[in-house]
Amino acid sequence: MTANMKILCTALSKLRVDHVTKRQHTFYKPPRYRPPYWFTPKERVMSEDLLTQENKDFIEEIMQEKLNAQVTLESPLAKVEQQTVQWNPFTRRVGLIARKIGNYPLWSKEGKKFQTTLLQVVDNHVIKYIPPHEFNPMKTKKMLRKENPRLGCLLVGFMVSPHAALPTGTPLFATHFRVGDHIDVRAKTIDRGFQGVMKRWGFSGMPASHGVTKTHRRPGNIGAGGEKARVWPGTKMPGHMGNRWRTLRGVKILRINTKHNILWTLGVAIPGETGTVCYLYDTVLPLKKLKTAPPFPTHLGSDDLPMEYYDESVHPFDSDTILFDEV
């Protein structure tokens, strides 16, 4: 017994305190802050003291060249003979890929203010066309739609009718749509992480007084009694909120800027935060579908276009201020 105690004491004397602290730190590391996936660090500097006037002029010249290159791109459709196929209400055109850049107010001609969302179309090109007999979409567990052998696919990201396909290298502009038309916007919602039922599903929670103990933000009863004593599938419970694909249908276009390829869409319900990539295509709602032929198969783009297009209900900023007579 005495020999065993001596061995134990010798082993404990060799154990240092830093060994214990290192082991603790390996198991209990504080969480490190990591920015979200959409965050991009700012590259600009707050001060321009080190920039000479020559450098400023050079930067402005490069920016102007890039801007002109986006506007004056030559479309392959201009070199192809005019197609005999015409647009019809059952035609499915290609869509656009835009980036959400913020919100902005507009005013109607009656003086009513409403909020809009700005979507910028930047450098959209057709990369490839997949004909219907070769188009094999990804299989999903939920079979949300039936395979349609009548539709092909453009590598811009949208399914199209075969007679609406575009040649490779065709640039796409914001004038692919028109003011007054309705579009469907598909994007990912804001990632809010793990949330409870009150924020995730809008539950009211339990009463805040009269003997309620530690159940103020709880969901309450979640199971059925009797023979079916289990939780039903689809029950609204705490879990991960956001970061899901959602489609907002029937969004009206109120204004188009042809210089910067920006669309003003009605409302602020476009999924995602500022900087989110959105997919735009003609709406599928029966009452808001296109009634007249849009630019088919797309707008060629030219230099003689006006800088701004406004919907008939929107007050243009370059016109006179709205005045109302006192009654």
Side-chain angles (χ1 to χ4, degrees):
M1 185 67 180
T2 306
N4 294 336
M5 289 297 296
K6 288 182 178 180
I7 296 174
L8 181 60
C9 292
T10 304
L12 291 176
S13 63
K14 294 180 180 180
L15 184 63
R16 296 185 299 177
V17 179
D18 57 349
H19 292 166
V20 180
T21 56
K22 286 182 180 179
R23 181 178 294 271
Q24 290 178 351
H25 282 297
T26 55
F27 286 96
Y28 301 100
K29 286 185 178 180
R32 294 187 301 172
Y33 171 75
R34 294 182 179 179
Y37 65 93
W38 48 262
F39 178 79
T40 54
K42 296 182 179 179
E43 298 179 356
R44 62 181 180 89
V45 293
M46 299 301 297
S47 177
E48 298 181 356
D49 298 338
L50 301 179
L51 288 178
T52 62
Q53 186 62 34
E54 184 179 357
N55 293 337
K56 292 180 181 179
D57 296 340
F58 175 73
I59 294 176
E60 185 67 25
E61 182 181 355
I62 295 299
M63 293 177 60
Q64 191 65 30
E65 288 180 359
K66 289 186 176 181
L67 182 62
N68 294 336
Q70 292 182 5
V71 179
T72 59
L73 288 175
E74 186 177 359
S75 175
L77 292 176
K79 302 179 181 179
V80 181
E81 296 182 358
Q82 188 67 25
Q83 298 182 1
T84 57
V85 180
Q86 300 294 329
W87 177 87
N88 60 76
F90 302 99
T91 302
R92 189 165 185 174
R93 297 192 306 158
V94 67
L96 300 179
I97 300 178
R99 186 175 294 275
K100 181 179 177 181
I101 60 176
N103 300 326
Y104 199 79
L106 289 179
W107 282 263
S108 65
K109 293 182 178 179
E110 290 77 19
K112 181 181 179 181
K113 177 184 176 181
F114 42 81
Q115 294 291 338
T116 62
T117 303
L118 277 69
L119 304 175
Q120 186 176 20
V121 181
V122 182
D123 197 15
N124 275 210
H125 288 81
V126 176
I127 307 299
K128 182 181 178 182
Y129 172 66
I130 304 174
H133 60 275
E134 297 180 4
F135 178 49
N136 187 18
M138 182 180 62
K139 301 297 189 300
T140 58
K141 295 181 180 178
K142 292 185 179 180
M143 296 306 294
L144 297 179
R145 66 173 188 84
K146 296 181 179 179
E147 295 185 7
N148 192 346
R150 298 175 298 174
L151 297 179
C153 177
L154 281 179
L155 206 57
V156 181
F158 305 93
M159 293 180 292
V160 295
S161 303
H163 64 277
L166 299 172
T168 302
T170 303
L172 302 175
F173 305 98
T175 50
H176 181 75
F177 300 110
R178 302 171 301 180
V179 292
D181 292 344
H182 295 80
I183 59 175
D184 294 344
V185 183
R186 183 174 182 264
K188 273 194 173 183
T189 56
I190 299 176
D191 189 1
R192 303 191 181 276
F194 191 96
Q195 298 295 335
V197 292
M198 292 185 67
K199 185 170 184 178
R200 191 184 185 198
W201 302 109
F203 284 17
S204 60
M206 299 292 181
S209 61
H210 298 288
V212 177
T213 305
K214 297 182 180 180
T215 57
H216 305 291
R217 301 182 65 88
R218 297 292 184 88
N221 183 26
I222 62 172
E227 297 180 358
K228 300 181 179 63
R230 63 189 180 93
V231 179
W232 288 92
T235 302
K236 296 179 179 179
M237 299 180 68
H240 192 278
M241 180 180 178
N243 198 25
R244 297 288 188 271
W245 286 104
R246 294 293 181 265
T247 302
L248 184 64
R249 302 192 183 279
V251 184
K252 187 177 182 180
I253 300 176
L254 298 178
R255 179 181 172 187
I256 295 179
N257 183 285
T258 58
K259 180 179 179 181
H260 301 284
N261 282 327
I262 297 178
L263 302 169
W264 276 258
T265 57
L266 180 62
V268 293
I270 302 297
E273 316 187 23
T274 301
T276 302
V277 176
C278 307
Y279 298 150
L280 317 178
Y281 47 92
D282 296 330
T283 184
V284 297
L285 297 179
L287 299 180
K288 295 184 178 181
K289 279 187 176 182
L290 297 173
K291 302 297 188 299
T292 59
F296 184 79
T298 186
H299 194 272
L300 299 180
S302 59
D303 300 334
D304 56 351
L305 293 177
M307 185 175 176
E308 297 281 351
Y309 285 101
Y310 290 91
D311 185 58
E312 57 183 9
S313 63
V314 177
H315 173 71
F317 284 91
D318 54 357
S319 60
D320 297 334
T321 306
I322 302 175
L323 298 177
F324 295 96
D325 299 331
E326 296 183 0
V327 179

